[in-house]
């Protein structure tokens, strides 16, 4: 006797609901994602195993880009204005009070001192290391010496955290000329901004961390 033939069931799966969910999630992430704005000064700092956090107050930040351009920033607006005023007097820049107020609002300085007024007039989106030439640090015209002299005068007797944020591929002469501006003004204490990484296992620092021994500052 012949066996009854069982009809085959279709194996097709309705994907409509899953596609709808996928497109909804895709739309959600596209509409809610905020891209990180590009930095005004692009620097890739070298890595180090240092665990010390960089200070955030009373900071003078000297930034050195890959191409050797140098920029100076200060977090304290009052000190920034005082440094500019000192530079205006010593270098006889001829800036008015209105000019100084306008320049003091800049987040960082990145032009020869004679062009500070022009930088203050530039749109903020154009004030990047791709447009600004940087502070001259040539051996024949190292204006960082003047900036550091003015800063040392203004910060005399007050806390000042001098930081250097240099690109990993910046040339040695750029660092050397910045260091010269520090030495000329007897600024021997500064900190390097680096990208922290984990301590390699088996090293003396790794063993010290395991033993709970704090590194000397």
């Amino acid at each position: 006797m012949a066996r009854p033939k069982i009809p085959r069931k279709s194996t097709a799966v309705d994907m409509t609901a899953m596609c709808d969910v996928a497109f909804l999630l895709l739309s959600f992430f596209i509409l809610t994602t905020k891209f990180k704005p590009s930095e005004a000064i692009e620097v890739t700092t070298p890595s180090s195993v240092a665990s010390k956090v960089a200070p955030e107050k009373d900071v003078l930040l000297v930034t050195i880009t890959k191409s050797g351009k140098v920029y100076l920033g200060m977090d304290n607006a009052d000190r920034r204005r005082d440094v500019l005023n000192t530079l205006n007097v010593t270098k006889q820049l001829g800036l008015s009070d209105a000019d100084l107020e306008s320049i003091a609002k800049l987040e960082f300085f990145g032009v020869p001192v004679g062009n500070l007024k022009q930088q203050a007039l530039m749109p903020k989106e154009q004030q990047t290391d791709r447009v600004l030439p940087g502070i001259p640090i040539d051996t024949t015209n190292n204006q960082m010496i003047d900036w550091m002299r003015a800063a040392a005068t203004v910060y005399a007797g007050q806390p000042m955290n001098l930081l250097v944020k240099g690109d990993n591929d910046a040339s040695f002469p750029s660092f050397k000329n910045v260091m010269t501006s520090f030495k000329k003004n007897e600024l021997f204490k500064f900190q390097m901004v680096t990208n922290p990484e984990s301590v390699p296992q088996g090293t003396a620092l790794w063993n010290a961390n395991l033993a709970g021994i704090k590194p000397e500052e």
Side-chain angles (χ1 to χ4, degrees):
M1 185 174 125
R3 300 175 62 180
K5 190 174 182 180
I6 301 175
R8 288 187 174 182
K9 294 184 178 178
S10 174
T11 57
V13 178
D14 187 0
M15 303 287 289
T16 304
M18 194 172 75
C19 290
D20 289 344
V21 171
F23 277 109
L24 280 174
L25 288 173
L26 182 62
S27 301
F28 171 78
F29 286 119
I30 289 175
L31 294 174
T32 58
T33 298
K34 291 184 179 178
F35 294 97
K36 182 181 178 182
S38 58
E39 296 184 356
I41 306 174
E42 295 185 3
V43 169
T44 303
T45 55
S47 299
S48 76
V49 297
S51 57
K52 186 177 180 180
V53 179
E56 298 181 350
K57 191 178 179 183
D58 303 317
V59 169
L60 265 79
L61 176 64
V62 178
T63 305
I64 307 173
T65 67
K66 183 178 180 179
S67 59
K69 295 180 180 178
V70 175
Y71 303 88
L72 175 65
M74 285 170 262
D75 68 322
N76 190 311
D78 293 335
R79 300 282 184 274
R80 194 163 54 227
R81 191 182 304 106
D82 292 342
V83 169
L84 278 170
N85 193 37
T86 303
L87 205 59
N88 186 34
V89 173
T90 57
K91 299 296 289 182
Q92 299 182 350
L93 301 178
L95 298 171
S96 65
D97 290 342
D99 294 334
L100 292 173
E101 285 296 325
S102 176
I103 297 170
K105 294 177 182 176
L106 294 171
E107 294 181 0
F108 61 87
F109 309 113
V111 293
V113 290
N115 297 339
L116 285 170
K117 192 174 176 180
Q118 285 76 8
Q119 183 186 347
L121 296 174
M122 292 176 64
K124 187 175 180 180
E125 60 271 15
Q126 291 184 16
Q127 296 188 30
T128 67
D129 64 319
R130 293 176 294 281
V131 177
L132 299 175
I135 297 172
I137 56 167
D138 301 333
T139 52
T140 57
N141 182 28
N142 190 340
Q143 294 187 4
M144 277 302 293
I145 296 176
D146 302 318
W147 279 103
M148 289 298 105
R149 184 177 298 121
T153 302
V154 170
Y155 280 84
Q158 302 176 62
M160 180 178 79
N161 294 306
L162 184 56
L163 305 181
V164 178
K165 184 179 181 181
D167 193 281
N168 197 30
D169 293 328
S171 62
F172 173 73
S174 300
F175 276 95
K176 180 176 177 290
N177 292 338
V178 169
M179 294 302 111
T180 298
S181 70
F182 294 173
K183 289 180 183 177
K184 291 277 186 181
N185 294 285
E186 299 183 350
L187 298 172
F188 302 116
K189 185 178 180 181
F190 63 91
Q191 300 176 56
M192 297 291 296
V193 178
T194 58
N195 186 29
E197 64 179 9
S198 59
V199 180
Q201 292 188 10
T203 61
L205 182 58
W206 185 75
N207 292 328
N209 289 341
L210 281 182
I213 302 174
K214 293 184 178 180
E216 297 181 1
E217 296 184 358

